[in-house]
Amino acid sequence: MSTKHTPARIELEIQGMTCDACALHVTNALKGVAGVSEATVPGWQSGRATLAVEPAVNEAALVEAVAKAGYRAAVATRRQAAVPQQPAGNGHKRDYDLIVIGTGGGGMAAAIKAAELGYRAAIIEGGTMGGTCVNIGCVPSKTLIRAAAAYHQARQHPFKGIQTRAEGVDWTALIQHKDELVAELRQAKYVDVLAAYGDNITLLRGCARLKSDHEVALADGRVFTAGKIMLATGAKPRMLSLPGLEQVEVLTSTTAMSLTQQPESLLVIGGRAVALELGQTFARLGTKVMLLQRSSRLIPEHEPEISTALAEALCQEDLTIQTGVKPLAIREEAGQKVVTANVNGEEGEFRAEQVLMAVGRTPNTQDMGLEEIGVELDTQGFIKVNSRLATTNPNVYAVGDVTGGPNLVYVAAAAGGLAAANALNGAGQSLNLNILPEVIFTDPQVASVGLTEAEARTSGYDIKTSTLPLEYVPRALAARNTRGLIKLVADRNSDRLLGAHVLAAEGGEIIQTAALAMKFGLQYGFTLANLREMLFPYLTQVEGLKLAAQTFEKDVAQLSCCAG
Ligand SMILES: Cc1cc2nc3c(=O)[nH]c(=O)nc-3n(C[C@H](O)[C@H](O)[C@H](O)COP(=O)(O)OP(=O)(O)OC[C@H]3O[C@@H](n4cnc5c(N)ncnc54)[C@H](O)[C@@H]3O)c2cc1C
């Protein structure tokens, strides 16, 4: 197809929209301009409109139409609409250019990118719209963590002599608040956003299975065809195959966050993010919690100093931590659940009202017909992809938790957009996870980016490190909460930051600054000396990053307030 007569895609920035009706007014105003074939406002909060227009359409006419409707518009981008590639194979017209399976962060990003590039996409959901993050992952866990923190703070006020009072937890209300937030965000961020893409993204409901690398069958027998297929089916909680598990009901992160009654006691099997976040949450709400961790320390991929300090902080809150535990069997006895285990070489038994299994995730790849069409899985069932997120069948791509990568929704979303562009436009982009900030939402939070000291040494760097206890951070002192530390790992030769590892209240708010320092270090040679020269607001937690950088060459105990 010649591009001379190809429609253009225009993105407008719109100011002044304050509700759904505004989005409708703007859409209608734009659709009224001659030559506009499509106009979409993906929710008024987006502050933008995307249009497909004939090549002759004048941008000023669009801006004027929006102004007449009472809003302000400016052209953000204009480009030729992508010329949809002929579907591979026999050249027959297919139902869609892309079929995405799964409406989680990865699938949504893929479908939206396809629509933005001018392609027709379908997205299939066999379970609850929105997938893990909004329904049973990030959103419910973080709101429960916040609620538990507020309750805990009311009981454990750090300011001596200040009277505080805490009523008992109203468990039903707590779960109801959580469910309300989940429902609100699912509607606003998934259902409404998809609807705003109109015919460009078709939502299909049902459990999907691949019939070929161009055909997807739904459980009700319907079959849809597409040029390319994107698998974004996510993962579910992994269960250890313990003798007795068929008879004893144990909790997963999903069921734990929906309990109708607060357990009096809880055994948590696992020692990483989900186990720690939920373990501390239940403990703060008044459940007696014991963590059973197989390794010799919590979060074994993190700096040992951070593991140790986190374990201390949790123990101060009356969580019990037992490391070196290999569960062997489970049974029920007198209303209690009993886990027998090998504990550092000896047999041991642990019992509680409930047991939460939080030992990782297993992929949703069963019964999908993947191997039959040449999509290879690894030994744990995760889909093998290359750096451009293509599977071993070139017409099928995969993103998110189902590929076994870091289980983070922002990674799934970044992968979804990139994979859609690769699949449809042959963009050939690789997913770059070199600088990947991560947060574990315990209190104090564990936030990290880049290499640990051990990883940097293994990579062959000549390194230097600094460790700053939080008691040198004025913000932490003022809050009377000095639990934690900041550890920096740097390259001695270039003075560049290689890794930052934080254990601090709201440590997640610190880590992105370190991530930027690393990125600018790679691109522009930004150094620790540059970081020390920067102004950091007093008193903020992120000021700790500057102080940790100063710790490389000064004794911070000798510094006056804000002294450079
Ligand atoms: C308790 C918990 C807390 C978390 N906290 C955070 C956090 O704070 N920050 C963070 O970044 N990440 C967090 N995560 C991880 C994050 O939620 C996931 O990494 C992310 O949601 C994965 O997105 P996805 O698109 O790969 O898959 P999912 O969101 O799991 O979506 C997959 C979708 O595919 C559907 N599906 C599966 N099979 C089929 C089929 N055959 N046919 C049709 N549909 C199908 C499923 O129903 C599901 O809706 C957390 C996870 C958990 C469990």
Side-chain angles (χ1 to χ4, degrees):
M1 193 204 290
S2 144
T3 52
K4 195 171 150 205
H5 303 294
T6 309
R9 304 287 304 182
I10 293 181
E11 187 169 44
L12 297 177
E13 270 174 22
I14 312 284
Q15 287 182 3
M17 294 191 290
T18 54
C19 63
D20 290 339
C22 296
L24 195 63
H25 292 152
V26 171
T27 309
N28 289 340
L30 290 168
K31 281 184 173 164
V33 177
V36 172
S37 52
E38 273 171 47
T40 306
V41 174
W44 64 267
Q45 303 92 332
S46 70
R48 66 190 178 95
T50 51
L51 300 105
V53 302
E54 294 305 318
V57 165
N58 184 342
E59 292 164 4
L62 302 172
V63 173
E64 196 184 319
V66 173
K68 274 196 186 146
Y71 308 90
R72 288 178 304 287
V75 177
T77 56
R78 178 181 184 128
R79 60 197 156 80
Q80 214 139 42
V83 183
Q85 292 172 345
Q86 279 298 312
N90 58 16
H92 289 157
K93 189 159 169 33
R94 298 198 164 101
D95 298 324
Y96 302 100
D97 298 307
L98 180 72
I99 290 181
V100 180
I101 307 178
T103 59
M108 285 288 287
I112 288 171
K113 175 57 81 180
E116 284 174 356
L117 290 172
Y119 292 93
R120 266 170 43 81
I123 188 165
I124 302 177
E125 179 52 62
T128 311
M129 269 294 292
T132 300
C133 179
V134 72
N135 293 303
I136 51 169
C138 331
V139 171
S141 62
K142 267 78 241 180
T143 195
L144 288 176
I145 287 168
R146 267 293 164 149
Y151 180 69
H152 173 77
Q153 203 177 10
R155 289 195 310 171
Q156 310 275 328
H157 210 296
F159 295 87
K160 290 188 192 84
I162 298 177
Q163 290 295 312
T164 56
R165 229 163 20 93
E167 317 294 326
V169 177
D170 181 344
W171 188 262
T172 309
L174 179 73
I175 299 299
Q176 193 182 325
H177 274 288
K178 181 263 297 177
D179 289 342
E180 278 168 13
L181 180 72
V182 165
E184 227 172 78
L185 289 184
R186 180 171 55 231
Q187 184 68 32
K189 300 291 171 195
Y190 294 82
V191 179
D192 292 351
V193 168
L194 268 193
Y197 280 89
D199 289 344
N200 295 338
I201 305 179
T202 304
L203 172 65
L204 302 167
R205 302 306 300 255
C207 215
R209 189 172 201 285
L210 273 63
K211 279 186 71 163
S212 76
D213 55 359
H214 293 296
E215 292 171 293
V216 180
L218 295 189
D220 61 10
R222 287 179 295 165
V223 176
F224 297 91
T225 57
K228 294 279 172 9
I229 295 171
M230 178 85 58
L231 302 166
T233 51
K236 54 181 166 293
R238 182 169 84 89
M239 304 305 278
L240 298 177
S241 55
L242 295 180
L245 202 59
E246 306 79 44
Q247 289 83 45
V248 181
E249 206 175 311
V250 302
L251 300 172
T252 64
S253 56
T254 307
T255 51
M257 291 192 284
S258 291
L259 280 173
T260 50
Q261 269 190 336
Q262 181 179 8
E264 186 253 320
S265 57
L266 177 70
L267 290 174
V268 180
I269 303 180
R272 292 180 171 78
V274 172
L276 298 176
E277 291 181 3
L278 290 182
Q280 187 180 34
T281 299
F282 274 91
R284 285 184 157 192
L285 292 169
T287 297
K288 192 158 178 42
V289 175
M290 181 179 229
L291 289 168
L292 304 178
Q293 158 74 329
R294 188 169 180 155
S295 314
S296 57
R297 62 182 171 97
L298 300 178
I299 47 171
E301 296 78 14
H302 286 258
E303 291 287 5
E305 298 92 326
I306 301 247
S307 295
T308 306
L310 176 64
E312 275 168 24
L314 294 176
C315 290
Q316 277 166 13
E317 293 188 14
D318 288 339
L319 269 98
T320 312
I321 298 170
Q322 178 64 61
T323 55
V325 180
K326 181 174 183 250
L328 298 172
I330 186 163
R331 67 176 194 278
E332 197 136 16
E333 200 176 86
Q336 296 258 297
K337 286 159 188 167
V338 186
V339 175
T340 52
N342 180 314
V343 187
N344 297 312
E346 310 219 330
E347 185 128 329
E349 255 189 19
F350 305 93
R351 54 184 70 221
E353 184 184 332
Q354 293 281 10
V355 174
L356 163 62
M357 194 143 343
V359 292
R361 313 272 295 168
T362 185
N364 292 324
T365 46
Q366 302 81 6
D367 302 324
M368 287 197 67
L370 299 180
E371 280 145 312
E372 289 89 319
I373 60 157
V375 172
E376 277 179 31
L377 309 178
D378 71 12
T379 49
Q380 293 170 294
F382 290 100
I383 299 173
K384 288 188 190 172
V385 287
N386 63 21
S387 64
R388 292 179 306 287
L389 304 163
T391 68
T392 43
N393 180 323
N395 291 319
V396 182
Y397 283 67
V399 296
D401 285 7
V402 77
T403 62
N407 287 359
L408 298 165
V409 71
Y410 45 98
V411 173
L418 184 134
N422 285 349
L424 295 165
N425 272 359
Q429 293 165 1
S430 292
L431 183 66
N432 182 349
L433 298 179
N434 279 348
I435 299 177
L436 176 63
E438 290 182 64
V439 181
I440 299 175
F441 291 83
T442 44
D443 182 17
Q445 292 177 357
V446 178
S448 63
V449 62
L451 301 178
T452 60
E453 180 178 345
E455 287 166 345
R457 284 190 201 286
T458 310
S459 304
Y461 284 101
D462 178 11
I463 61 155
K464 53 184 180 177
T465 64
S466 82
T467 303
L468 179 83
L470 260 253
E471 62 224 31
Y472 292 110
V473 178
R475 176 73 178 179
L477 286 168
R480 298 275 189 232
N481 183 0
T482 53
R483 296 178 309 168
L485 59 104
I486 299 177
K487 177 171 177 179
L488 301 183
V489 181
D491 178 16
R492 195 181 290 281
N493 297 319
S494 65
D495 195 36
R496 278 197 297 108
L497 188 62
L498 298 173
H501 309 277
V502 176
L503 180 73
E506 300 297 340
E509 309 301 328
I510 301 176
I511 207 64
Q512 199 61 18
T513 306
L516 286 171
M518 284 176 60
K519 188 168 173 67
F520 287 119
L522 281 176
Q523 289 185 344
Y524 307 111
F526 186 86
T527 61
L528 285 174
N530 297 139
L531 190 66
R532 285 191 287 269
E533 281 158 22
M534 289 191 70
L535 294 174
F536 278 69
Y538 182 78
L539 311 70
T540 56
Q541 286 287 69
V542 72
E543 192 191 5
L545 201 58
K546 175 175 174 151
L547 292 165
Q550 287 175 323
T551 307
F552 278 103
E553 46 178 36
K554 283 184 181 166
D555 178 358
V556 279
Q558 305 302 322
L559 290 179
S560 172
C561 282
C562 318

